[in-house]
Amino acid sequence: MADTATPNVIRRADYAPPAFLIDTVALEFDLVPERTVVRNTMRVRRNPDASRAANFELMGEQLEFVSATLNGAPFAHAHAHEHGLTLDNVPDNFELTLTSICNPAENTTLSGLYVSGGNFFTQCEAEGFRRITYFLDRPDVMATFTVTLRASKADYPVLLSNGNLLEEGDLPDGRHFARWEDPFRKPSYLFALVAGKLVALEERVKSGSGKEKLLQVWVEPHDLDKTRHAMDSLINSIRWDESRFGLELDLDRFMIVAVSDFNMGAMENKGLNIFNTKYVLANPETATDTDFANIEAVVGHEYFHNWTGNRVTCRDWFQLSLKEGLTVFRDQEFSADMAGGATDEAARATKRIEDVRVLRQMQFAEDAGPMAHPVRPESYVEINNFYTMTVYEKGSEVVRMYQTLFGRDGFRKGMDLYFKRHDGQAVTCDDFRHALADANGRDLAQFERWYSQAGTPRVSVRTKYDAAQQRYSVTLTQGYGDTAPAARETQKGPLLIPFAIGLIGKDGHDLPLQLEGEARASDSTTRVLEFTQTEQTFTFVNVAQEPLPSLLRNFSAPVIVEYDYSADQLAFLLAHDSDPFNRWEAGQRLATRELLTLAGRATTGVPLQLDDSVVAAFARVLTDETLSPSFRELALMLPSEAYLAEQMAESNPAAVHAARQFVRKRLANALRKDWLAVYEKHRTPGAYEATPEASGHRALKNLALSYLAELDDPAEAVRLASAQYDAANNMTDRSAALSALLNASAAKGGSIEAQQALDDFYRRFEKEPLVIDKWFALQATQRGSAQRPVIEIVRKLMAHPAFNLKNPNRARSLIFSFCAANPAQFHAEDGSGYVFWAEQVIALDAINPQVAARLARSLELWRRFTPTLRDGMRAALEKVASQVKSRDVREIVEKALA
Ligand code: B3K
Ligand code: ZN
């Protein structure tokens, strides 16, 4: 086998520099859907820093080899094989031209060059470029690219690639061409081309240094009226990166292109970002407030990659979090700044809470299962399986901890040094850490463990107040508890945990903080303790009264805090903590504890009851007009069923659902008048506004509606929801009303009102694929009942003419929504959900392995469920394991069954 053959397991420890380097690439494309000819001319030389290899091994997949020319003469010693091309006995320095053919029309994997809606698009990260031409398709090989595109002018009037347009013109036979040049060296994964019938919204802006930049958002003609928000988000991103990090756009032209068939959210190709339509297209009628916020975040994320990812890239794919964790952190900060500026802590906290909720629900779960891996993994079978919550979200928390330790200014100094040292290079996570350490005069050797240890750390807290001495001691102990075997192997020692803490007095105000040995109390009433040992005690002095501790303020580290708060103490924190994140946190702890107790009772069939004090705590938040609506909405939302099930010793989705529904109903009935008052008060009449304030009102109002739909007699809620549905001038209100109608009628197996609204919704938005995705998703995630299980609705919808398994958004809207976002129905006792899951994973595996592998992951925590469910899941996993072909899905199911 040639050494480009992918071995089963790729290990970080086996990294070796490439034997050859490619300095320049000139690509010529003759774009024809079934048969695109690619001519690739490279300047190649031996890498002086690598051991000498006799042969030149290039990666290639699904290519038809045509010819090779070396220094202008036909080269006979080129052998094409399953994994690429081997050239025997090449000189030290040469020009190589390779010609090959690929078939974009048949490429359903959406990796490499493919056709969507009659237009051409590419997706190269991580290893898609080798499906376009033979290449050293690895991120540490960086070259400058010139790209010539030729195609039928009538069918593909727009021809785009990375960088600047050098020339364009007509060719014989109704064809035309365009030539592009990207002045920056880049790895092949950042290459992109687009060709087709597209139109653009354009803006010209001046960057910080006064240079004019052309910005374009390219879409299909009928979508042009949905591009304004993406353009505004792009302009805001450019401004933000200049002001927060001093980073300027380095190209004269920056393009975003929307495509409806796309495996993930978007891709940061140099100067030519390609986006899933879901993260570009929005107007008030078609997109919810959440969609608007997601578009801003993803546009920011991809734009910020221009520096963190593109100018400084990854040496190898194990370093993926170098660019992804850092760029997620940057987009989170961007969104927080857009919502609350640098100083409005309450508004910033809203964003923080949303991000932490995702981390806990998804990343903590990943850490608890067979796919647990460190932020910098040690091995993989298929790299596309490692674009994970751990690499992205935990990676972002790791970056955030530097900022928590060094402050915004210290973090900025570190970033400046990172770019000074590494601009134009392909580097490692260690390089980043060293830049942060050196810029702040710190040794961060221990901090490396955040990159190499998997599993969610647990910090348990013990406190002791000595009234006579006025001393308050806080003892922290860290460990990983009983973690998944995949995580345990990686755990070597204690972490450096920035642990932010405040002490709250009886009047609800923060107490001054003075640690033992300090001359006086510090100005801030929040302290970041540097917790570095397995067990460590921090003693505060001059503590005049016994305080209540506010622990891990603003979620200063991605850990689980164990502290035995009483219900009264949690209610007190919910009412008084000066840290808005911890106020929310107190409510979640209170609710989680109550819900888990109830779920335990539901498991054994004991009648459920909810303490009045919990209802009272929620009532206070609901009626506290000093709190922002968006904060109240977050605080009143109960922890998700998936999160709760994960907290149980043995996950029991039905019991969790029963408990959560019981609490929702109890809160609905007990606080009916308040919900109604809030519903009325937070209406947003008049023209739609996309501001954070207006969206906060809508969120709280729609939460109230969803609680009202739980009333024992939902007639009033149905009336309100129907009226809201009919009068809505925006998608947030319309879809919330539809969802309320569906859930209000679930217990009786549906209602006329719900069905009419569903039918109306479909007719109204038939021509808007992203809205039809919502139509499918709302039905897949609706509450079911014994007489009307959701699996039956889902199976019916699979046969709907608008359903299309090849379109990832559509597959996600129906199949993923059901399998991953409707746990009570998916985990039906009869195993019907698992049978469906197996069918769909197998079907998708043949079309699009990346999407199939994502779906495959929805059973990975199977061992943690009740015995009956466990058996059903194992059978489904075994069925999939015996039938799938792709490396992607095999890695997931084999790890799950191991
Ligand atoms: N870097 C891409 C993700 C590529 C995923 C490949 N399977 C998008 C992003 O994180 O910005
Ligand atoms: Zn990214």
Side-chain angles (χ1 to χ4, degrees):
M1 233 199 301
D3 66 9
T4 39
T6 315
N8 251 343
V9 180
I10 322 273
R11 292 178 204 287
R12 183 172 76 89
D14 293 342
Y15 173 82
F20 292 86
L21 298 173
I22 302 173
D23 293 317
T24 66
V25 184
L27 296 171
E28 291 171 66
F29 289 85
D30 282 291
L31 293 163
V32 177
E34 290 77 23
R35 197 183 151 83
T36 289
V37 180
V38 182
R39 224 167 95 103
N40 167 7
T41 303
M42 296 168 273
R43 224 26 275 175
V44 187
R45 64 186 157 98
R46 286 188 187 274
N47 181 0
D49 300 325
S51 46
R52 195 179 169 86
N55 302 336
F56 183 33
E57 300 282 359
L58 293 151
M59 295 94 157
E61 271 174 26
Q62 306 283 310
L63 297 176
E64 183 188 320
F65 175 68
V66 177
S67 66
T69 312
L70 198 140
N71 291 334
F75 188 70
H77 312 288
H79 319 283
H81 49 82
E82 202 191 335
H83 305 285
L85 189 71
T86 304
L87 295 118
D88 299 336
N89 298 317
V90 293
D92 289 353
N93 205 313
F94 53 98
E95 186 184 88
L96 179 67
T97 299
L98 301 172
T99 304
S100 60
I101 294 169
C102 60
N103 185 346
E106 296 285 301
N107 182 2
T108 58
T109 66
L110 312 185
S111 164
L113 178 62
Y114 64 94
V115 175
S116 165
N119 299 327
F120 286 95
F121 298 90
T122 54
Q123 172 55 38
C124 292
E125 188 177 1
E127 298 179 336
F129 191 70
R130 64 188 65 181
R131 301 167 61 89
I132 298 175
T133 182
Y134 297 102
F135 204 70
L136 290 180
D137 189 15
R138 43 186 288 171
D140 56 354
V141 173
M142 296 169 82
T144 52
F145 284 66
T146 324
V147 179
T148 306
L149 304 173
R150 290 187 286 263
S152 147
K153 191 170 182 178
D155 297 333
Y156 309 103
V158 173
L159 302 173
L160 309 174
S161 191
N162 316 84
N164 302 315
L165 181 62
L166 294 183
E167 61 174 319
E168 56 186 338
D170 289 339
L171 296 169
D173 303 329
R175 292 162 61 76
H176 72 145
F177 79 98
R179 208 147 64 83
W180 293 81
E181 180 190 61
D182 180 354
F184 294 94
R185 290 167 71 237
K186 66 168 176 286
S188 51
Y189 82 86
L190 291 173
F191 164 81
L193 78 78
V194 171
K197 293 193 182 100
L198 299 166
V199 294
L201 173 68
E202 281 192 5
E203 287 267 322
R204 278 167 212 278
V205 298
K206 280 210 163 56
S207 68
S209 66
K211 286 196 210 84
E212 191 172 276
K213 311 283 177 183
L214 172 62
L215 310 180
Q216 296 176 316
V217 179
W218 290 94
V219 296
E220 290 188 21
H222 57 268
D223 287 326
L224 196 57
D225 62 340
K226 300 183 210 86
T227 50
R228 189 64 246 171
H229 178 63
M231 177 62 86
D232 290 341
S233 301
L234 176 59
I235 295 170
N236 288 332
S237 304
I238 294 172
R239 299 280 168 254
W240 183 85
D241 219 10
E242 287 175 349
S243 65
R244 179 89 182 253
F245 288 106
L247 299 171
E248 196 175 341
L249 174 56
D250 54 7
L251 287 162
D252 301 339
R253 173 174 184 145
F254 192 90
M255 298 170 278
I256 286 177
V257 187
V259 54
S260 52
D261 293 291
F262 205 63
N263 283 346
M264 64 270 171
M267 177 64 211
E268 70 263 24
N269 316 301
K270 186 77 184 185
L272 180 59
N273 288 357
I274 298 182
F275 273 60
N276 187 327
T277 45
K278 184 173 161 64
Y279 296 104
V280 175
L281 304 180
N283 66 29
E285 287 77 44
T286 60
T288 62
D289 292 336
T290 307
D291 294 326
F292 274 81
N294 288 341
I295 289 168
E296 179 179 84
V298 178
V299 167
H301 181 97
E302 306 311 331
Y303 176 76
F304 303 143
H305 267 315
N306 191 49
W307 280 92
T308 51
N310 301 4
R311 288 288 288 252
V312 184
T313 194
C314 302
R315 186 192 73 172
D316 54 73
W317 292 120
F318 295 102
Q319 318 299 328
L320 185 56
S321 198
L322 172 78
K323 73 177 178 80
E324 295 305 347
L326 177 53
T327 306
V328 171
F329 169 73
R330 276 152 54 70
D331 85 54
Q332 290 177 346
E333 287 290 275
F334 166 62
S335 295
D337 283 347
M338 292 300 290
T343 50
D344 182 347
E345 288 305 327
R348 297 182 66 83
T350 310
K351 170 70 179 152
R352 185 75 185 124
I353 289 165
E354 286 163 357
D355 293 337
V356 172
R357 216 171 41 186
V358 170
L359 180 86
R360 273 194 190 143
Q361 191 174 310
M362 318 276 289
Q363 196 279 326
F364 284 16
E366 182 165 278
D367 253 344
M371 272 291 286
H373 56 277
V375 165
R376 185 191 55 209
E378 291 299 336
S379 69
Y380 59 77
V381 172
E382 169 53 60
I383 183 57
N384 285 315
N385 285 335
F386 283 78
Y387 286 74
T388 58
M389 281 288 156
T390 300
V391 165
Y392 276 66
E393 310 301 319
K394 185 174 181 181
S396 164
E397 293 299 322
V398 170
V399 173
R400 183 177 295 278
M401 286 190 284
Y402 292 110
Q403 180 170 276
T404 303
L405 288 167
F406 303 138
R408 269 197 191 201
D409 293 343
F411 185 73
R412 170 67 194 268
K413 275 198 270 169
M415 289 286 279
D416 290 350
L417 184 59
Y418 174 63
F419 291 116
K420 192 165 157 224
R421 283 182 180 170
H422 301 299
D423 188 13
Q425 300 174 6
V427 304
T428 66
C429 297
D430 290 330
D431 294 318
F432 183 75
R433 180 170 48 88
H434 290 141
L436 265 292
D438 295 350
N440 289 283
R442 281 285 303 263
D443 173 0
L444 286 177
Q446 186 182 6
F447 199 79
E448 193 271 340
R449 290 192 183 132
W450 279 111
Y451 292 92
S452 57
Q453 300 191 164
T456 309
R458 287 172 181 270
V459 175
S460 42
V461 183
R462 277 175 291 130
T463 55
K464 206 171 118 219
Y465 182 61
D466 180 342
Q469 301 290 321
Q470 302 210 331
R471 289 160 64 88
Y472 186 67
S473 65
V474 179
T475 301
L476 306 178
T477 312
Q478 57 170 304
Y480 284 92
D482 184 17
T483 50
R488 207 173 308 134
E489 293 162 12
T490 67
Q491 294 158 0
K492 305 269 147 48
L495 297 154
L496 161 51
I497 299 177
F499 193 91
I501 186 172
L503 303 180
I504 303 175
K506 305 260 181 287
D507 62 356
H509 288 113
D510 279 356
L511 300 175
L513 298 179
Q514 181 179 359
L515 280 168
E516 186 167 38
E518 290 175 347
R520 52 179 193 87
S522 52
D523 296 333
S524 169
T525 56
T526 298
R527 272 302 271 270
V528 179
L529 305 175
E530 289 196 15
F531 172 35
T532 56
Q533 294 154 32
T534 303
E535 180 167 306
Q536 212 167 337
T537 298
F538 299 87
T539 302
F540 294 94
V541 296
N542 293 326
V543 184
Q545 46 169 298
E546 173 155 22
L548 186 59
S550 170
L551 304 168
L552 203 75
R553 280 187 161 171
N554 202 34
F555 199 70
S556 61
V559 303
I560 295 168
V561 174
E562 293 166 340
Y563 184 69
D564 211 5
Y565 285 114
S566 71
D568 287 347
Q569 288 174 328
L570 289 173
F572 187 81
L573 288 172
L574 177 59
H576 298 293
D577 200 322
S578 69
D579 183 67
F581 179 87
N582 266 4
R583 273 187 91 160
W584 170 80
E585 178 76 334
Q588 294 295 298
R589 271 180 191 267
L590 195 60
T592 302
R593 198 150 71 185
E594 207 62 40
L595 284 160
L596 289 175
T597 309
L598 291 171
R601 288 214 193 113
T603 311
T604 50
V606 179
L608 305 186
Q609 56 197 31
L610 182 66
D611 203 82
D612 286 341
S613 67
V614 179
V615 179
F618 272 82
R620 270 198 299 278
V621 175
L622 179 57
T623 55
D624 184 346
E625 293 291 329
T626 67
L627 294 169
S628 74
S630 50
F631 179 86
R632 281 195 273 165
E633 190 251 345
L634 288 168
L636 294 164
M637 198 190 300
L638 299 177
S640 73
E641 291 182 16
Y643 175 75
L644 292 165
E646 223 252 298
Q647 309 305 306
M648 297 178 82
E650 199 165 69
S651 297
N652 184 336
V656 165
H657 182 71
R660 195 167 180 277
Q661 274 313 105
F662 172 80
V663 173
R664 278 178 60 82
K665 276 190 170 302
R666 176 75 204 285
L667 292 174
N669 288 309
L671 307 176
R672 178 176 164 277
K673 279 214 177 70
D674 297 313
W675 291 117
L676 277 170
V678 162
Y679 182 82
E680 289 305 327
K681 186 161 180 190
H682 294 276
R683 285 175 187 270
T684 49
Y688 172 86
E689 278 182 79
T691 59
E693 296 73 44
S695 97
H697 288 298
R698 280 187 289 272
L700 181 57
K701 178 197 66 180
N702 287 324
L703 181 83
L705 183 61
S706 85
Y707 270 99
L708 290 166
E710 310 284 3
L711 287 171
D712 292 336
D713 174 8
E716 188 158 28
V718 169
R719 205 174 35 73
L720 290 174
S722 292
Q724 174 170 323
Y725 180 88
D726 290 335
N729 67 353
N730 65 82
M731 181 49 70
T732 305
D733 284 345
R734 202 185 295 278
S735 59
L738 178 53
S739 166
L741 287 171
L742 286 172
N743 288 334
S745 67
K748 53 174 179 157
S751 70
I752 303 208
E753 291 90 342
Q755 195 52 50
Q756 278 174 347
L758 261 182
D759 294 345
D760 175 84
F761 193 92
Y762 188 82
R763 274 195 304 275
R764 218 181 256 262
F765 298 109
E766 207 167 353
K767 299 219 155 49
E768 299 287 352
L770 294 172
V771 185
I772 296 305
D773 288 338
K774 296 182 195 302
W775 184 78
F776 279 106
L778 277 167
Q779 295 179 78
T781 53
Q782 70 185 307
R783 202 161 304 145
S785 63
Q787 74 260 47
R788 197 155 166 267
V790 178
I791 180 73
E792 285 173 14
I793 299 168
V794 169
R795 283 202 180 271
K796 230 169 53 238
L797 288 171
M798 294 286 296
H800 191 282
F803 185 75
N804 171 12
L805 192 62
K806 287 191 178 150
N807 174 253
N809 284 357
R810 196 50 54 86
R812 285 186 278 257
S813 74
L814 183 58
I815 302 169
F816 287 52
S817 294
F818 176 67
C819 297
N822 196 345
Q825 291 292 307
F826 175 62
H827 295 283
E829 280 295 295
D830 63 5
S832 52
Y834 308 147
V835 173
F836 174 74
W837 170 89
E839 284 167 23
Q840 300 315 317
V841 174
I842 292 164
L844 277 166
D845 184 63
I847 298 170
N848 187 330
Q850 283 186 42
V851 173
R854 287 279 150 160
L855 181 62
R857 293 200 55 189
S858 39
L859 285 201
E860 71 189 17
L861 292 180
W862 67 279
R863 284 179 207 275
R864 303 170 60 96
F865 284 75
T866 55
T868 322
L869 299 184
R870 220 186 293 158
D871 291 345
M873 284 191 252
R874 183 200 281 136
L877 280 161
E878 281 167 352
K879 174 161 188 202
V880 168
S882 72
Q883 292 192 29
V884 291
K885 308 242 160 18
S886 74
R887 192 165 61 206
D888 310 57
V889 178
R890 242 188 307 117
E891 175 172 30
I892 302 299
V893 293
E894 282 174 7
K895 282 183 174 163
L897 288 168

